[in-house]
Amino acid sequence: MFGFVDNWGGDVETGRMRDWPRGVIPFGGDYNPEQWPREVWREDIAAMQRAGVTFVSLGIFSWSWVEPSDGTYDFGWLDEVMGLLAAADIAVDLATATASPPMWLAQAHPEIAPIDHDGQRLWPGSRQAWCPSSATFTAYATRLAEAMARRYHDHPALAMWHISNEYGCHNTPCFCDTCADGFRDWLRQRYDSLDALNEAWGAAFWSQRYADWSQPLPPRRTPTFPNPGQTLDYRRYQSDALLQQFLAERAVLLEHSPGVPITTNFMTMRHFSHLDYHRWAAHLTEPVDRISTDHYVVDLLADPWAEQAFCGDLTRGIAGGGPWLLMEHSTSAVNWQPVNRPKPVGGTIRDSLTHVARGADMIGFFQWRASRAGAEKFHSALLPHAGEDSARFAEVCRLGEIAGRLGEVSGSRVESQVAILWDYDAQWATQGPALPSAQVQYPDLAIEIHRALRERHVPADVVYPGADLTAYRLIIVPTLYLVSDAHAAAIEAAVATGADVLVTYFSGIVDERDHIRLGGYPGAFRELLGVRSTEFAPLRPGEVVALSGAHSGSVWSEDVALAGAEAVLTFTEGPAAGHAAFTRYAVAPQGGSASGVRWYLATRPDRDTLAEIVGTLCASAGVEPVLPGAPDGVDLTRRRAADGRSWVFAINHTDLARTVPVTGVDLVTGRHTGGQCEVPAGGVAVVRED
């Protein structure tokens, strides 16, 4: 039993089991009561209950309020808010409050500020003004985390700990001297000797040989191209440095608040590539840790919904195929794009359930109440500036009702027969210096193929190359420029057991040190695919070349020669005219073992051509759609529980109503479909199948 009732802001039932709300998909978002006078707090709680809010993330940016001066804590306001939330039966994802250091810490320890690529100090005045390698910051952050854990471990509102916020969003990479020291220590652990370091970095080139461990530096501004191996290792180091910051706070929580789940919100968005989330996830364990992420629709993208769906599947892959938590997205406009447009009517619900369809077991937003001051004052919120009589708040309340009916879906898993491989090392390496074409962007083709699969109503898991690939019928390897021997072998093993594989251009080219695999391209996959190229022929911006059969390609071409494979499409013009553009290699099984078909794609096809290619791949691999005969323009996924129950999610991205052939109860409307479920324009259906 607990003895804090007198300090809290309401009558609280003590001894309640800490857990996320049961029987619903938890629904809520960041709550920042410190931005508002005390009299607003009770209004907030009442409005949350009207909206169906069942959780809030609390205290994320409250360090200066919890610890207003060095070692002096003020928990009174937080006690009161926690009490109000507990009394309202709203679960709290309580932050350690360490996302941004307070001004007194920045003033006392200016050395914790990060340094940018040009050597400029990044001053306090926004957020995350701290160096990823700073032991001083770690000491203060873990001290605060311990104080929070000691005070609130037994609080009946506490359901989960939230460490920091969006690691690496603004303070990575840092190039300060502290990071330089940390980088050298990291290199000593990674490499046995300076000779090994020199070999890994190719230091014989341009007289970059290192003779003492004091000499390696971060890849600061140089007269021309920096060393690719140094650049790649520094990306790895910065991700690991922030991981150590997270693990330091996590250790404190495990010691002083055992048994309470822990999370930190990732950012699985295509433009965020600072952290290796697969490596981070390897350090997180059930039942203690929860994988959560933030995702915001980027309106400038040609197809923002394609990126949104891909990133949801990527988060599921990081979570090992199981459910994950959507910690943040927006009800409508954000504040950080050049033009911040609102979402259409129904967009708040559609975007939220798109994530649930892809494995999210929570719907979270930034934030509860729209700020009236500060850099995010024009960022949308659950409760907008206009108040409760706005159309957006009415939609929020509708979403709260739906989330309350979707609890039965919680814990189920998405069914998929297709894997798309995604590796942060490979992404970092394709962002390195002096590559054949700046047009080759790591996420592009992966998202395009994912979209083509979605248009065929075929779900895909986006997984690490080191994941278990044996359960998939089709494996997509897009632009895997960097691949280790172990990961190449895992792909080959999956093909040997019967999976079909598609490898695209600029894959298998270098090993994990960013060293070229000699003997011709595509390096690690030459023998697997039965092809060999000797020279790349990347295409100029806007250049399109014809392929056989009235098809076309862009971005890339090469002089593909057949070494067992057959040409399906060829380049009929351009620098690779006459060479294969799309190949098929079917190897006869040996000794009774299965062997999948191997495909190679040496260009970026136009959209219709890619759709045709994906259709060919699915037919070859025996990959079936979620619902045969479903209409175009509707995303379909199926989540299935361990007891066999299943739910079909239908997301309508068109301006017209669509009818989906599925029998069961639509949890959004509460009506039985009778075999045909009508999904309104821009709407969503979630059908529990009979």
Side-chain angles (χ1 to χ4, degrees), residues 346-357 395 398-399 402 406 634-635 637 648-653 658 660 666-669 671 677-687:
T348 304
I349 294 174
R350 184 193 61 218
D351 288 356
S352 299
L353 297 191
T354 293
H355 290 289
V356 178
E395 186 173 346
R398 171 68 172 149
L399 177 58
I402 295 170
L406 293 184
V634 179
D635 286 353
T637 54
V648 168
F649 286 73
I651 316 291
N652 187 354
H653 286 285
R658 290 285 189 263
V660 176
D666 179 5
L667 301 181
V668 173
T669 64
R671 296 192 295 267
C677 179
E678 182 169 304
V679 187
V684 184
V686 182
V687 179

Side-chain angles (χ1 to χ4, degrees), residues 160 250 254 259-263 284-290:
M160 186 165 65
R250 177 177 178 269
L254 290 175
V260 180
I262 297 170
T263 195
L284 308 181
T285 57
E286 289 284 355
V288 173
D289 302 292
R290 302 288 188 270

Side-chain angles (χ1 to χ4, degrees), residues 91-109:
V92 174
D93 168 41
L94 183 59
T96 56
T98 55
S100 286
M103 288 298 179
W104 60 258
L105 178 55
Q107 184 180 45
H109 294 281

Side-chain angles (χ1 to χ4, degrees), residues 408 645-648 663-667 686-690:
E408 64 188 67
R645 290 178 302 158
S646 60
W647 300 264
V648 168
T663 302
V665 175
D666 179 5
L667 301 181
V686 182
V687 179
R688 183 205 306 124
E689 295 182 281
D690 287 350

